[in-house]
Amino acid sequence: MSLKVKAYAKINLWLDITGRRGDGYHTLNTVMRRVDLYDDITVTPTENDNVTIHCDDPAVPCDERNIVFKAWKLFRGLYGKPFGADIDIRKRIPLEAGLGGSSTDGAAVLSALNELAGMPFSADTLTAAGVKLGADVPFCMTGGTAVCRAIGEEIQPISCADFAVVIVKPEFSCSTGAAYGAYDRTPKPEKPGFAEYVRSISGSADAAAEGLYNVFEELYNDPRIAEIKRELLTAGASGASMTGSGSAVFGIFPILSDAENALGKIGYKTKFAVNAL
């Protein structure tokens, strides 16, 4: 029996680095929200104790470098019994965009393997294990809107007003490692107002849009990111920000039809109009 799942992307409404731990991991204050942009993943159990990975994007490695392989290996270690799988990935989430495209694939596969094995582990157990795959994985397993702290594993679900987004992925990409390296070279003081922003967004999409913040925009100071934000605002977005460590930028719109109408005014090839979930 095969299981087909959707691996949803995320955006960061607020993203700040609050420090660096002794083990090298950076601590964060962030608000993440799931959006209706996703990869399709099909997981099929096999009788052997191996994993095979297929992907329609040739830029995605289909070996031990893929987080999906790491997710299978993590689950196999927890399960303690042979559990082979054939995994097919249909990519829609752009690579190196800050949209969680890798993390969400790993999270979806971890959950799918658990379901196919008969749910031997609770959601809490899998979420706690998922942080070993990456800081965004625990959120990608829970979805919705959440405040995430520490290295991403401290998750507090919150309410947030409904809105739609236009997401733009330019041709250039940003490296997560290089992004954190920029912070290490020039640490930024913690941005004030995080708690106030979290309180403000439950009932107002305008508040969510007005308070958007991403420390990496300051660290990069890249005019190309600023130009995408200007295009989104000119097209009618009430606020715009880079997500994650980039290079994707999103703009907030009241409803999906407004976001869809704005697409024609955006001069970039890779762009999406989707609801925030």
Side-chain angles (χ1 to χ4, degrees), residues 17-276:
I17 303 172
T18 58
R20 186 180 184 185
R21 305 194 317 191
D23 59 7
Y25 284 100
H26 293 83
T27 56
L28 308 171
N29 276 341
T30 185
V31 177
M32 290 196 272
R33 180 146 194 191
R34 177 175 282 181
V35 295
D36 197 17
L37 172 65
Y38 54 85
D39 297 338
D40 282 310
I41 299 181
T42 303
V43 182
T44 305
T46 60
E47 294 183 357
N48 56 36
D49 194 25
N50 299 309
V51 63
T52 54
I53 302 169
H54 316 273
C55 185
D56 62 345
D57 187 337
V60 174
C62 292
D63 54 23
E64 65 276 3
R65 293 170 292 172
N66 195 310
I67 194 173
V68 164
F69 176 92
K70 298 172 185 177
W72 170 81
K73 187 175 181 180
L74 176 62
F75 180 81
R76 173 64 181 78
L78 291 170
Y79 193 48
K81 294 185 287 186
F83 198 94
D86 184 273
I87 302 173
D88 182 76
I89 307 168
R90 305 285 103 180
K91 289 294 293 182
R92 291 183 68 229
I93 303 171
L95 304 178
E96 296 184 323
L99 293 164
S102 172
S103 294
T104 194
D105 287 355
V109 166
L110 200 57
S111 296
L113 290 170
N114 192 50
E115 184 171 344
L116 289 167
M119 305 295 285
F121 305 108
S122 68
D124 287 345
T125 298
L126 280 189
T127 300
V131 75
K132 298 176 183 177
L133 300 175
D136 291 343
V137 172
F139 170 78
C140 290
M141 297 184 72
T142 58
T145 308
V147 172
C148 302
R149 295 186 174 89
I151 63 169
E153 81 279 18
E154 294 182 8
I155 302 174
Q156 174 192 352
I158 60 172
S159 60
C160 186
D162 292 333
F163 55 80
V165 292
V166 169
I167 299 170
V168 175
K169 171 60 174 72
E171 292 185 2
F172 66 91
S173 297
C174 298
S175 162
T176 301
Y180 283 102
Y183 171 83
D184 291 339
R185 290 189 299 272
T186 312
K188 295 284 185 180
E190 186 175 334
K191 173 79 171 179
F194 180 61
E196 291 79 3
Y197 179 71
V198 171
R199 285 194 294 267
S200 74
I201 64 177
S202 62
S204 170
D206 286 341
E210 292 168 4
L212 296 171
Y213 176 71
N214 188 325
V215 67
F216 289 117
E217 290 186 31
E218 298 180 4
L219 291 167
Y220 292 147
N221 193 26
D222 192 325
R224 297 174 297 178
I225 297 295
E227 176 56 32
I228 300 171
K229 290 175 65 176
R230 281 193 292 271
E231 281 207 30
L232 286 164
L233 294 171
T234 300
S238 53
S241 178
M242 191 172 74
T243 180
S245 58
S247 60
V249 179
F250 66 93
I252 291 181
F253 292 80
I255 55 176
L256 183 59
S257 60
D258 290 342
E260 291 170 337
N261 290 336
L263 280 183
K265 304 173 184 177
I266 305 297
Y268 290 85
K269 180 181 178 181
T270 304
K271 53 192 175 181
F272 310 89
V274 295
N275 277 316

